[in-house]
Amino acid sequence: MESDDSTDYYDTWARVYDAEGTPTRDVSYYVDRAVDVGGRVLEVGCGTGRIYLELLRAGVDADGIDLSMGMLDQLRENAAADGLDPNVWQADMRDFTVSDPYDLVIVPFRAFLHNLTIDDQLSALRSLLDATADDGELVLNFYAPDCEFVVENYGTEEVEAVEIDGEQYRVLHRADFEDEVAGIVRGEKVLFDENDDVVVSESYRLKSVTKREFELLLRLVGASSWEVTNFDGDPPTSVTDELVWSISP
């Protein structure tokens, strides 16, 4: 398995993560899927609880795992503030096991893309499917590679104002290809205080995956069936659609 710097990024960035602007459309999608299942749910890559805590609020019997202990510590802090009782633990999606498979396993917010090699991808899918009950589903999402977006945005800098514990900061974010042939993207984030001093600087890597490439991975791990939609439940028709995969073991 290839070592990745993303764990350091999430450990360090945990206190900043909730202050950043993150997508919210996926929250209602995954909560609705979990409520409809009416059984046990596992969120892989639960982070600080952006989705996981909403599952608990909806009365879902949900557990969570994440590779970053810093993110889990922040999740527990967020849960305590709201009187919630999470059941989460540190684990790597590439090699974790569970004693009792779940009715629904979810991997939101493109977390699968942190698997950088084919071996990592296959190991993760096997672990995820093993954690899914025979009549259950594995659901995950990631973006479709968008050439126009890459041309317009990669190599440029985006700055966002954030407030953390009542103090004002700026987050600078840039992304570019680390390996264009392999499709590995390296992202960097820098947090500046109001005096423009660097508070923290970290990086992470993602492996872009096409629809056809992922279908081949699913065939290799022996998934019995799958469906890909957007968050509206319709077939994706554009690279602006998020690819949402519903997979049966």
Side-chain angles (χ1 to χ4, degrees):
M1 295 182 182
E2 179 170 331
S3 177
D4 185 14
D5 50 13
S6 296
T7 305
D8 293 338
Y9 160 72
Y10 283 111
D11 281 343
T12 305
W13 209 256
R15 63 182 291 267
V16 185
Y17 188 82
D18 290 335
E20 291 185 275
T22 55
T24 57
R25 191 179 185 194
D26 58 342
V27 177
S28 61
Y29 176 85
Y30 281 110
V31 171
D32 288 346
R33 290 293 297 262
V35 170
D36 287 345
V37 164
R40 297 171 60 250
V41 177
L42 175 68
E43 181 180 356
V44 176
C46 57
T48 63
R50 186 177 63 91
I51 292 175
Y52 178 80
L53 297 182
E54 294 301 325
L55 296 177
L56 297 188
R57 293 187 182 101
V60 175
D61 181 7
D63 298 335
I65 65 172
D66 200 282
L67 187 58
S68 167
M69 186 57 73
M71 298 292 270
L72 292 175
D73 288 343
Q74 185 64 52
L75 181 152
R76 294 186 181 100
E77 184 177 322
N78 294 343
D82 290 344
L84 299 172
D85 185 20
N87 184 35
V88 297
W89 64 95
Q90 185 180 31
D92 189 326
M93 77 171 77
R94 296 171 294 183
D95 61 6
F96 76 100
T97 60
V98 298
S99 57
D100 187 11
Y102 291 82
D103 300 293
L104 177 67
V105 176
I106 63 173
V107 193
F109 200 38
R110 307 167 178 172
F112 182 81
L113 300 186
H114 286 295
N115 296 296
L116 302 182
T117 68
I118 293 174
D119 285 343
D120 287 347
Q121 292 168 333
L122 293 175
S123 294
L125 284 173
R126 291 188 181 107
S127 294
L128 293 166
L129 289 172
D130 285 346
T132 307
D134 290 342
D135 58 350
E137 275 194 307
L138 164 63
V139 181
L140 57 86
N141 69 278
F142 52 79
Y143 61 83
D146 182 347
C147 295
E148 184 174 335
F149 180 87
V150 168
V151 170
E152 293 179 354
N153 294 278
Y154 279 25
T156 64
E157 297 181 349
E158 178 182 340
V159 179
E160 174 188 5
V162 299
E163 181 178 320
I164 304 171
D165 299 330
E167 301 292 333
Q168 297 299 316
Y169 297 86
R170 292 183 303 114
V171 176
L172 181 148
H173 181 208
R174 66 172 69 88
D176 208 343
F177 278 113
E178 179 179 277
D179 186 332
E180 293 184 6
V181 175
I184 294 177
V185 177
R186 184 180 185 85
E188 295 180 89
K189 287 189 177 182
V190 184
L191 181 69
F192 296 93
D193 63 18
E194 58 185 7
N195 298 317
D196 282 339
D197 292 327
V198 175
V199 179
V200 62
S201 177
E202 280 295 342
S203 63
Y204 61 88
R205 290 186 291 168
L206 301 173
K207 167 66 177 77
S208 297
V209 180
T210 66
K211 178 175 178 289
R212 182 166 293 186
E213 182 180 358
F214 195 68
E215 288 174 333
L216 290 172
L217 291 170
L218 292 177
R219 290 189 182 189
L220 285 172
V221 298
S224 61
S225 64
W226 56 84
E227 179 185 24
V228 59
T229 67
N230 56 27
F231 279 126
D232 293 323
D234 300 319
T237 58
S238 165
V239 290
T240 60
D241 283 330
E242 193 80 2
L243 304 182
V244 184
W245 297 82
S246 298
I247 307 158
S248 298

